[in-house]
Amino acid sequence: MTTMKGGRLIAETLVKEKVPYVFGICGHGNVGILDALYDVRDRLQLISPRHEQCAGHMADAYFRVKHRPVATLTSTGPGSANMVMSLATALSDSSAFLAITANVPTSQHNRAPFQELYKHNQADFAQVMRPVVKRAFQPTRVDMLPLALRQALDTMVTGRPGPVNMDVPYNVFQEEADVELPPASHLDRPHRPGANDDDIRAVVDLLAAAHKPVLFIGHGATLSEAGPELAELQASLGLPVITSPNGMGCVPADDPLTLGFIGRNGAYPANQAGRHADLVITVGTRFDDRSSSTWLPGYSWNFPTTKLVHVDIDPQELGRNYATTLGIVADAKVFVRQLLSALRAQTAVQAPRYAPWRDEVKGWVREWESFVRPHFEDSTSPLRPEFVVGTLQKTLPRDVILSLDSGVHHNWFMQFWRPQRPQSMLNSWGYSSMGFGVCGVMGAQLAAPDRPCVAVVGDGGFTMAPYVLCTAVEYNLPVVWIIWNNFAWGAIRDLQYGLFDGREIGTAFYKGSSGERYNPDFAAWARACGADGMTVTRPQDLGQAVELALRNKRPCVIDVHVDAEVRPPSTGTWQLPPIPFKEPAFGKPHRP
């Protein structure tokens, strides 16, 4: 045993676990542990952004790229309350980090000291965090820290990943006890459950009986790094693959049977395959409203007429929205390996069986391409959305990490972006948080310092978090923000035009009562912070601006003026009850 302060114990544990960064902001509540971080600063770097929410988004994105968690550190009161958004974002998308929050000293519990929440229970901040974390721990003595740290680290990565809160009274950072560092955690050896043999045989039997099978893969496949196995399964049987946004990149984007996203803003071939399939094997997805056309039969899926094999590491997700033919609790990578092994040992399920189905799917791909591809070459000012996506696809390197914020630009990228690698298209999908893409790109850059990291963000989203420029300049992070500047909260403005006859209010940016569209000069804003800044209003300038930004290897903002009147072509639907839903703009529903 060693006599050790609580702050030192936490710092040394993070060093032992090879956690390279703490993203955090100082406050009187955590100054005691800042002193401990000073002693380990050569092994554990403190990165201090200008807002706590940003610290959380950076930690979230770091995990999505690296699949290894880091920590955040915030002070008692408002600083830690600012973490709620980023924790909810991470929890919704199964992303893990350790959120260390400071609380009032134990000797002052229930006395209403500065920044205590005490209405229902003393030092009650952990209850604020409870809905947005996988687990909240509240050690109140130094000798409680080793167990709490070990349990917190293991909880983050066991089963379905998620963020964990450790709420520490600030006297514990400075008090001493005879303690030992906790045993090694499971950060590098997560548990990977598999399916039982009977279930694998049942999946093979369902494939043998099917004529139109489809794979639907999501973030669970990305998290388990099941891409090589899924690509082998796709190639060996010639199966069409539909992906959620967080599952994109797991299978080859240039394979004609990689169909992309499904739902209202999905690709037409994906929706067609989903509604015509007779068997869907889904791996690591939830069937939320946006990937199911709000569960309306015939628009994206046709369960229960279509048989469903649902594989997920989280048993709560099996059958949540659609009753399963077969539900399997398993790690995605382990399951696909088991299935591949079983398929090699039999002859009933072979690729030629599905040849007519593949031909049908490829016909839908050709239909969709002939409909959308001409607009990718349209040369207009402001720039047409398809042109922006297409130019970035041609210009950005294959190893780029794309960090996408919430907004109408995200709808376009879901529909048309083709990531070349897994863990390279970062989305706030479940919670759709503005600020994730703006801030998260810096965490991605720290996770992958040798890869280009580019954020595509809306003008509204960027103005929520412009302080990122200060952090990027301070820490010399060569990230590029491409601002999709349509002078509006474009996604919601589109809803007003689609569902409320264009009765626009509160969704576009105007200068006073003049009717003139307004936004700040984003490029000048960037230069004022010490970053580079460029404005693009002509299509011929976009590719060159992106190439220059990447070549300079400096923080950079590229303000791209995009046409707000061009809207993504819906190929499924999405309902906001009780408002009547719209029919697809391309294609139509199918009921068998």
Side-chain angles (χ1 to χ4, degrees), residues 447-464:
D450 297 328
R451 293 174 62 183
C453 292
V454 175
V456 180
V457 303
D459 45 352
F462 187 81
T463 50
M464 286 186 174

Side-chain angles (χ1 to χ4, degrees), residues 452-482:
C453 292
V454 175
V456 180
V457 303
D459 45 352
F462 187 81
T463 50
M464 286 186 174
Y467 47 76
V468 294
L469 291 165
C470 306
T471 305
V473 171
E474 282 182 78
Y475 294 96
N476 195 28
L477 300 175
V479 299
V480 178
W481 290 273
I482 296 173

